[in-house]
Amino acid sequence: MSIDATAGMNASWSAMRADARSEAVRYATDSSQIQADRNVAASAERAPEPAREAAPPPGQGRFVDTRA
């Protein structure tokens, strides 16, 4: 059985509490990402609807004349 030499270091780094500066940076990046997501959603809502095809005249289908 082998013991990983860095196992204790990995556990101590993951259990370490973040300091105020790193928490502030994380909060700033999270809030900027949220704002970017909101901007993308808002621009998608403001995008114009694609033009719809006009209905064919009565008696005509899409590709052929149904009266023929």
Side-chain angles (χ1 to χ4, degrees):
M1 181 168 130
S2 69
I3 298 175
D4 186 8
T6 60
M9 286 178 33
N10 289 338
S12 66
W13 277 108
S14 65
M16 188 173 128
R17 295 188 137 251
D19 63 340
R21 179 178 289 167
S22 63
E23 283 293 316
V25 169
R26 187 181 62 80
Y27 179 76
T29 55
D30 288 348
S31 63
S32 66
Q33 181 63 43
I34 290 169
Q35 186 61 39
D37 292 344
R38 286 181 183 161
N39 290 340
V40 167
S43 66
E45 289 176 0
R46 287 190 307 257
E49 291 279 330
R52 296 184 186 247
E53 226 178 89
Q60 292 184 349
R62 186 169 178 184
F63 299 109
V64 296
D65 188 351
T66 57
R67 291 178 293 183

